């Protein structure tokens, strides 16, 4: 519990923090005593539940709607976070989507840009707006959500998504060198098959999931809590020595 206790009274912004992995991350931070700003795009009801949960525990909480592919919305998100929480210690860049499975010959220019904007450009917008506030602290932390697809290339039809998630791995390494001097560590997590999320409910068949699980050394799929705990570990080490790293969360199906 030592690492978790280090999160008490920390001010955290979680993008897409009201569904799937993001919801679990938000809940874990709240349970760790952190003050939270929860961004959402469509999951307003769940965002309100999380906010009320935090407020009942005596912690600061705010929910903010926005389309993070729009620079203005990203800037407003950070501004409202600072206004509500009084500062920022930790940024969790969780927003992202596969959108749809499309092979190379099916990918149009608009679709390609849409996937890149949702997964990568939005992350840059939010991080660029948040970095000056993170720098106000002696130590601060950013955790980016990548994917096993960024390591392996994903299943057929994941070309655009996997490419964007692979870019996040490099983005994380590059940003860690830029922000290290200001006391901000930057790391990423790369989840594998995490069932019980809208992502896999929408884009992964039971047959595909079963085939993937058969190749996982620990013989099970992951769950949202598996990812949330890893994110909290990296975030709680805000004064630690880990930066520029990606933590793989896939049951041992891929490692390097």
């Amino acid at each position: 519990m030592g690492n978790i206790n280090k999160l008490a009274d920390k001010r955290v912004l979680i993008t897409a923090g009201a569904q799937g992995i993001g919801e679990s991350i938000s809940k874990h931070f709240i349970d760790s005593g952190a003050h939270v700003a929860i961004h959402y795009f469509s999951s307003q009801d769940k965002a309100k539940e999380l906010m009320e949960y935090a407020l009942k525990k005596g912690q600061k909480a705010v929910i903010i709607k926005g389309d993070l592919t729009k620079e203005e919305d990203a800037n407003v998100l950070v501004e409202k976070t600072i206004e509500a929480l009084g500062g920022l210690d930790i940024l969790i860049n969780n927003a992202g989507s596969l959108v749809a499975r499309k092979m190379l010959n099916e990918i149009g220019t608009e679709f390609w840009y849409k996937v890149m904007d949702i997964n990568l450009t939005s992350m840059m917008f939010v991080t660029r707006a948040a970095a000056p506030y993170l720098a106000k602290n002696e130590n601060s932390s950013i955790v980016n959500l990548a994917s096993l697809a960024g390591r392996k290339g994903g299943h057929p039809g994941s070309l655009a998504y996997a490419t964007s998630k692979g870019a996040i791995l490099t983005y994380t390494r590059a940003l860690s060198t830029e922000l290290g001097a200001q006391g901000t560590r930057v790391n990423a997590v790369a989840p594998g098959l995490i069932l019980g999320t809208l992502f896999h409910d929408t884009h992964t068949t039971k047959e595909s999931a079963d085939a993937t699980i058969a190749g996982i050394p620990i013989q099970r799929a992951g769950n949202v809590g598996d990812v949330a705990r890893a994110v909290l570990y990296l975030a709680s080490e805000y004064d630690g020595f880990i930066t520029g790293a990606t933590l793989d969360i896939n049951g041992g199906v891929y490692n390097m």
Side-chain angles (χ1 to χ4, degrees):
M1 290 296 292
N3 285 334
I4 302 302
N5 289 340
K6 291 166 68 175
L7 292 169
D9 293 324
K10 293 300 176 182
R11 300 157 297 183
V12 187
L13 168 59
I14 308 111
T15 66
Q19 68 173 13
I21 291 173
E23 178 187 349
S24 185
I25 291 171
S26 296
K27 179 73 160 42
H28 276 70
F29 271 116
I30 294 168
D31 286 340
S32 300
H35 308 295
V36 294
I38 299 171
H39 158 264
Y40 71 96
F41 180 68
S42 60
S43 303
Q44 184 178 33
D45 290 344
K46 181 55 67 174
K48 285 182 177 179
E49 288 180 20
L50 289 164
M51 180 179 67
E52 291 168 1
Y53 179 69
L55 293 173
K56 286 179 180 178
K57 293 171 71 70
Q59 293 150 226
K60 295 179 182 177
V62 63
I63 59 173
I64 306 162
K65 182 177 181 178
D67 178 353
L68 300 184
T69 66
K70 298 178 180 178
E71 184 176 358
E72 181 179 357
D73 281 22
N75 291 338
V76 168
L77 170 65
V78 173
E79 291 167 6
K80 288 185 176 180
T81 295
I82 300 304
E83 180 181 346
L85 304 186
L88 186 63
D89 300 290
I90 296 165
L91 169 63
I92 308 301
N93 282 312
N94 173 65
S97 175
L98 184 144
V99 181
R101 292 197 184 277
K102 293 193 178 187
M103 305 295 282
L104 176 61
N105 63 345
E106 300 172 315
I107 293 175
T109 303
E110 183 177 346
F111 176 81
W112 178 266
Y113 284 138
K114 181 177 183 178
V115 174
M116 294 300 161
D117 285 348
I118 291 172
N119 294 322
L120 189 59
T121 306
S122 67
M123 187 176 291
M124 185 277 290
F125 284 158
V126 176
T127 306
R128 186 178 62 190
Y133 296 102
L134 293 168
K136 294 179 182 294
N137 311 307
E138 183 177 355
N139 298 292
S140 54
S141 179
I142 298 172
V143 182
N144 300 322
L145 271 289
S147 170
L148 176 60
R151 296 287 206 192
K152 295 183 67 178
H155 291 289
S158 301
L159 176 61
Y161 175 79
T163 300
S164 68
K165 290 296 187 176
I168 290 172
L169 303 178
T170 302
Y171 173 84
T172 298
R173 290 192 295 269
L175 193 62
S176 71
T177 65
E178 285 199 19
L179 300 188
Q182 74 173 39
T184 302
R185 293 180 314 101
V186 186
N187 293 293
V189 295
L193 179 63
I194 309 297
L195 294 184
T197 64
L198 180 63
F199 179 101
H200 285 296
D201 288 346
T202 304
H203 302 293
T204 303
T205 65
K206 184 180 185 304
E207 292 74 20
S208 176
D210 289 345
T212 298
I213 291 169
I216 296 175
I218 64 172
Q219 293 291 286
R220 74 167 176 89
N223 59 62
V224 292
D226 293 325
V227 182
R229 289 190 300 274
V231 169
L232 259 69
Y233 166 71
L234 291 173
S236 68
E237 286 294 293
Y238 53 84
D239 58 350
F241 199 53
I242 303 171
T243 193
T246 295
L247 181 56
D248 294 292
I249 310 167
N250 56 52
V253 71
Y254 178 90
N255 57 69
M256 60 180 297

